[in-house]
Structures are given as C-alpha cells and as structure tokens.
C-alpha cells in the first residue's frame, strides 16, 4: 500500500481466452469484485479470482501491490468493503463467505482454510510445544481425546517432514525452516479445502528454502490441495504455481499460465517486473 | 481428421519499454497426423522454437488457430482457457526443451520420476521407469542419486529428455532434443522416438542436425 493516487490501469494487451471446456469441475473458490480501502489508501480494487480443484495459483507483485491483503481477506481476517467470496465446501456452498457471521466464519476457517505466514509468530504460539500448536487446531475443531490429538498432530507434522524427536520443542527454539514446517502442519492438520501461503519461504536460507519447496510440491501431489501462494520471489512461483496473477496498486493487471507470464508477459508492468530479475 | 491443425498462426513480441514489436513467425499453417513426425526447418531466428512454445502456450499466439483433437473433443490451443492447457500439459502434450531446471536437493532419478508421480504412479514404479530411461540414454548409474545442478551439459540434457518423455503423451514438441548428446545417446533417443511413433504419438521437432533422426521424419515445414 502507498499513498499514491490510483490511476486507471491500461487494459491488458492480451488475447481473449475461451472459458474452460476440458475442465468441467466448478471452481473451488470464486472471488468477485474484491475491494478494500484503509482510509484514503486503496489496498485492493476489483480483484476477481477463480481456483479450480487441485491447482496452485500464485499472486506476484511488488511490496504494497495488495497481494498479501487479498490473502488475509480470503482468510476472513478482516472485513472487506465490497466483494463476494464462494467456496464449494460442504455446508457453505452458495453462500457469500464475506457476509457470514463471525461464528460461521471462524468455523469455516478452522475446517476449510489453512494458512502459512511469512512470520511464524503470526501463525504460531512461539512458547507452546510444536505438537501443541498443531493439536490446538484440532481442539478448536472439537477433538478432546488426548491420544487422538497426539496422533493426528504427529501425522500432520510428519507430512510436513518435521522431525518426530522435536515435537515437544516450542517454535521459539526452532530454526526458520522448522517453524514453517510447524505452520504447514497446523495448516493441513484438518485437511482443509484451501491452503493459503504468504511468502512461505521468504527469509529462509536458499538450501532450506529448497527443502520447504520440495515439501510443498510433495504435499500438492499427495493431497491435491487447492493452493493460493503469494510471493515476490518469481523462482518460488515458477516452481510451485500452475497459474499466476500479477498485481499492481491493488489491481490485477494480468493473469496466465506461470511460464507464459514469466516468459511472454503481455502487460507493460509485468514485462518490467520479469526483466527486473537478477 | 488430423490430430493437430494449425491455421495462420502468428506471433509477435510487443516490448513496451522499447516501444517495439519484434516478429517471431507469421501465418504458419500445417496439419499433423497421429504417429507422424513433422520437422520444422528454418534459419536461426526464424521462430522455430517460438512456434513450439506457442503450441505449448508458453508463448501466447496473437493470431490464428491450432485445433487439437483431445481425447475429449476439439480445442484451439491458441485460445483455450489456461486451466484447459494446464490439464493437457499433465495428460496429453509434452514439451522437450533445451534446458534443464534442476532443483536443489532433488536427485537426477527423482527429477525424471516426478511427472509419473504427478500422474498418480507409485514412487517405486516411477523410479523404475526413470532408471530405465536414464539407463537407455547412457547416464551412468553412479550419479542417478546425485544433484544434477553440477552435471555436464550432456548429462543434464539426458535428464531433461527423460523427464520430458517419461509420461505417456499424444503430442510431443521436441526443441533440439539431440543437442549436446553423444552418439550412443542420440541412437537411444532415436529408437525411443521410433517406438513412440509406432504407438501413435505425434511429434513436432526442431533439430539442428536433422540427419540425427533420418528415417523418422514424415513431413517438413519451413518457417521463413
């Protein structure tokens, strides 16, 4: 976000594509006309997005483009100004999730949305045990039996390739890569329909980043979890995302297959963003 | 009914920062039958690789059509929805590029096995098929468990080929697959191509030395 006046975006110089024909499933997620202002600052304006079951979509853009705000709004962390948000999950199909009361929003978040933040302290209690952090998610969903909690937490941590002998260590004692694995385990423990990743590997050493990316790729293969990832790192996006949206000043300027956006960007801003890579 | 019918396909790159349009290729039309190999000929810079990338939709064509007969009906590759193209890339259309993108801490064997894992095969099956491919292309078994970022160009190209061709495809786009290969690996690749053709796989290829695949070419197309 910044205080610059928002200028109307030029239309993408992009060929108009047809609606899906081979993919006959309805989108898991449909977002229409999302806008959000903070005072005079427009953070997000008129964002539309569909996620089809099992795909990974990336959002790229520089700091302040509004990409993380979109993620937070999809996680129902704060109120929007305008927009409709649908998730095709049991009990909520057809409802605008932005319009739900707080109780149902919380229920939906716990059951169907997992999130991993760049900053582990936003997603974890740093002094509680790692296993406890994951189990907390299950407790919120109503599970009370200690043995079940312990087993489910261990399973989720193992899926995130977290070492079993550190399950009782609090995140504060763990490395950055390990903290992200705890967040990931917590996010996937209840097998949510939607996984939101906010710069999940930013700030990690390159070799640790590679390991976390590999875990994410394996999880995607094994669980076919529909994922939205926000990152300014185009290498991360190329590795993980099937499709990508480019945001600037709160609006989507261009979207397409990841390799097409990175190798044949159409919009002037995307061309500048892609060529700015070192 | 051909598997692929390309009509008047064109590609130009608009470089906004320079205010320039750089042409890649114009008005390309051809038809391709299942089980046949079409050789794309033309001088350097004529847009041969760009044509393959447009059919794979790494590049967005700006005019024309590419009607492809999927197992589920006809579709225009030039204007189909991104999610439909993503689906075809997982199931029907493969692209053999000239460059491997190794990922840190992923072994040569697992990089090759990955497309089969994505297609739902077990790890054991996928690794067995990967070993078969790497063995036939002559990559020495001692380095299958090593990380390819340190490999020679020829070794990387073997991994790249195996990875791109391991999963069953109906249409393969081959961009200089024989470049950087030693004679034994070239011969192994030719025999693989011949087997795939017999199984009905259609291919469009750019070859710096077309004599590498002499006897396998069914038709040629010249881009100016």
């Amino acid at each position: 976000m910044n205080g610059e006046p928002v200028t109307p975006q030029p239309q993408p110089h992009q060929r108009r594509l047809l609606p899906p024909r081979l993919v006959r499933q309805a989108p898991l997620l449909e977002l229409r006309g999302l806008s959000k202002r903070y005072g005079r600052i427009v953070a997000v304006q008129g964002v539309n997005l569909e996620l089809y079951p099992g795909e990974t979509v990336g959002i790229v853009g520089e700091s302040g483009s509004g990409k993380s705000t979109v993620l937070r709004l999809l996680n129902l962390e704060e109120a929007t100004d305008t927009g409709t948000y649908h998730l095709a999950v049991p009990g909520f199909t057809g409802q605008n999730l932005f319009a739900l009361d707080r109780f149902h929003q919380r229920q939906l978040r716990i059951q169907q949305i997992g999130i991993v933040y760049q900053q582990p302290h936003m997603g974890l209690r740093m002094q509680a045990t790692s296993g406890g952090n994951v189990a907390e998610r299950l407790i919120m969903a109503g599970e009370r039996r200690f043995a079940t909690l312990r087993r489910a937490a261990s399973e989720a941590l193992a899926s995130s390739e977290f070492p079993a002998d550190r399950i009782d260590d609090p995140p504060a004692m763990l490395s950055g890569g390990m903290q992200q694995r705890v967040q990931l385990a917590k996010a996937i423990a209840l097998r949510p329909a939607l996984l939101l990743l906010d710069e999940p590997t930013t700030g990690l050493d390159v070799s640790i980043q590679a390991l976390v990316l590999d875990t994410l790729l394996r999880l995607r293969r094994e669980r076919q979890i529909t994922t939205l990832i926000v990152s300014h790192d185009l290498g991360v996006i190329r590795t993980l995302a099937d499709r990508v949206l480019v945001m600037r000043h709160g609006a989507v300027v261009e979207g397409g297959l990841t390799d097409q956006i990175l190798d044949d960007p159409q919009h002037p801003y995307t061309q500048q963003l892609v060529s700015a890579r070192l | 009914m051909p598997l692929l019918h390309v009509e008047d396909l064109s590609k130009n790159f608009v470089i906004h920062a320079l205010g320039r349009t750089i042409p890649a290729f114009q008005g390309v039309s051809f038809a391709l039958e299942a089980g046949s190999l079409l050789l794309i000929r033309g001088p350097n810079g004529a847009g041969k690789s760009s044509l393959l990338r447009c059919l794979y939709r790494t590049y967005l064509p700006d005019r024309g059509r590419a009607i492809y007969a999927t197992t589920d009906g006809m579709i225009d590759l030039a204007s189909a929805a991104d999610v439909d193209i993503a689906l075809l890339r997982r199931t029907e259309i493969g692209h053999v590029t000239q460059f491997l993108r190794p990922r840190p801490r992923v072994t040569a064997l697992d990089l090759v096995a990955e497309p089969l894992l994505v297609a739902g095969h077990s790890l054991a099956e996928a690794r067995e098929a990967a070993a078969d491919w790497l063995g036939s292309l002559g990559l020495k078994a001692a380095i299958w468990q090593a990380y390819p970022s340190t490999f020679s160009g020829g070794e990387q190209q073997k991994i790249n080929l195996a990875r791109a061709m391991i999963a069953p495809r109906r249409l393969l786009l081959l961009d200089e697959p024989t470049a950087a290969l030693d004679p034994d690996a070239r011969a192994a690749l030719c025999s693989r191509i011949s087997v795939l053709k017999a199984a009905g796989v259609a291919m469009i290829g750019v070859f710096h030395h077309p004599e590498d695949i002499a006897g396998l070419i069914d038709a040629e197309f010249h881009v100016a």
Side-chain angles (χ1 to χ4, degrees), chain B residues 28-213:
Chain B
V28 166
S29 301
F30 61 79
L32 178 72
E33 303 290 336
S36 63
L37 193 162
L38 175 73
L39 175 71
I40 307 290
R41 276 188 185 276
N44 287 339
K48 303 186 293 293
S49 294
S50 294
L51 173 57
L52 297 187
R53 288 186 192 137
C54 278
L55 295 173
Y56 198 64
R57 270 277 287 282
T58 297
Y59 292 167
L60 202 57
D62 39 37
R63 201 179 69 239
R65 306 198 299 167
I67 306 298
Y68 170 75
T70 75
T71 53
D72 192 17
M74 310 295 263
I75 201 163
D76 176 13
L77 298 178
S79 61
D82 292 319
V83 287
D84 282 346
I85 298 292
L87 176 68
L88 289 173
R89 289 173 172 191
R90 284 196 300 274
T91 54
E92 298 198 19
I93 301 179
H95 188 203
V96 182
T97 61
Q98 296 173 51
F99 302 103
L100 181 71
R101 282 184 195 280
R103 293 205 310 276
R105 314 257 192 147
V106 181
T107 65
L109 193 70
D110 284 351
L111 211 53
V112 174
E114 197 168 51
L116 286 182
L117 294 177
V118 171
H121 293 259
S122 73
L123 185 61
E125 281 172 353
R127 282 189 175 151
E128 191 180 335
D132 180 46
W133 264 97
L134 290 178
S136 72
L137 289 173
L139 190 79
K140 45 187 187 294
I143 62 171
W144 293 357
Q145 299 295 343
Y147 306 130
S149 45
T150 58
F151 291 7
S152 74
E155 288 165 340
Q156 290 202 1
Q157 180 62 353
K158 288 173 184 178
I159 294 158
N160 197 29
L161 280 175
R163 177 178 159 89
M165 296 175 80
I166 192 168
R169 293 287 183 255
R170 298 176 71 232
L171 172 62
L172 277 178
L173 308 167
L174 309 170
D175 195 349
E176 302 260 21
T178 52
L181 290 185
D182 50 62
D184 286 349
R186 270 207 301 275
L189 177 65
C190 286
S191 80
R192 289 277 181 170
I193 288 176
S194 160
V195 168
L196 290 173
K197 277 185 63 180
V201 179
M203 289 174 239
I204 306 175
V206 175
F207 291 84
H208 197 59
H209 298 291
E211 58 276 16
D212 288 346
I213 50 156

Side-chain angles (χ1 to χ4, degrees), chain A residues 107-122:
Chain A
Q107 196 178 31
L108 176 86
R109 281 176 61 187
I110 291 168
Q111 295 285 353
Q112 300 293 358
I113 305 177
I115 188 162
V116 174
Y117 297 97
Q118 178 184 352
Q119 304 291 345
H121 65 80
M122 291 183 65

Side-chain angles (χ1 to χ4, degrees), chain A residues 13-224:
Chain A
H13 304 252
Q14 194 166 329
R15 175 171 186 146
R16 187 172 291 276
L17 300 177
L18 302 170
R21 279 220 358 242
L22 302 174
V23 172
R24 295 197 178 84
Q25 294 160 294
L28 171 81
L29 180 158
E30 275 190 280
L31 176 69
R32 289 280 167 269
L34 177 66
S35 294
K36 174 74 178 173
R37 301 175 72 101
Y38 295 97
R40 292 179 50 236
I41 296 164
V42 177
V44 177
Q45 53 173 341
V47 169
N48 299 323
L49 168 69
E50 300 92 43
L51 295 187
Y52 286 81
E55 71 171 344
T56 299
V57 172
I59 304 182
V60 299
E62 52 203 16
S63 305
S65 61
K67 56 192 195 305
S68 290
T69 305
V70 170
L71 214 69
R72 305 260 152 85
L73 294 172
L74 290 177
N75 196 38
L76 302 173
E77 291 177 26
E78 52 187 308
T80 61
D81 295 338
T82 63
T84 61
Y85 175 18
H86 293 97
L87 272 185
V89 296
F92 293 95
T93 303
Q95 301 189 55
N96 177 11
L97 305 179
F98 290 139
L100 291 177
D101 61 57
R102 287 185 59 177
F103 171 78
H104 286 99
Q105 284 193 344
R106 182 170 178 275
Q107 196 178 31
L108 176 86
R109 281 176 61 187
I110 291 168
Q111 295 285 353
Q112 300 293 358
I113 305 177
I115 188 162
V116 174
Y117 297 97
Q118 178 184 352
Q119 304 291 345
H121 65 80
M122 291 183 65
L124 298 175
R125 291 197 292 142
M126 301 301 281
Q127 303 301 332
T129 67
S130 296
N133 264 287
V134 179
E136 187 182 77
R137 187 84 171 185
L138 303 157
I139 292 167
M140 283 196 286
E143 182 56 60
R144 290 290 180 273
R145 286 159 297 180
F146 181 78
T148 310
L149 286 171
R150 180 99 186 160
R151 193 183 60 243
S154 304
E155 270 174 24
L157 283 163
S159 275
S160 306
E161 290 162 36
F162 182 86
D165 59 350
R166 306 209 60 181
I167 188 166
D168 293 322
D169 290 353
M173 285 173 56
L174 301 172
S175 67
M178 286 300 154
Q179 289 171 343
Q180 294 311 66
R181 291 181 190 283
V182 179
Q183 278 206 83
L184 188 59
K186 182 180 175 182
I188 63 172
L190 285 170
R191 299 192 168 263
L194 176 65
L195 179 62
L196 304 173
L197 305 173
D198 189 4
E199 304 272 9
T201 61
T202 302
L204 301 179
D205 288 347
V206 174
S207 62
I208 303 299
Q209 173 173 335
L211 293 174
V212 174
L213 286 180
D214 250 45
T215 301
L216 289 169
L217 280 173
R218 190 181 50 76
L219 274 176
R220 184 176 75 169
R221 261 201 324 266
E222 290 174 3
R223 302 204 176 188
Q224 277 147 25

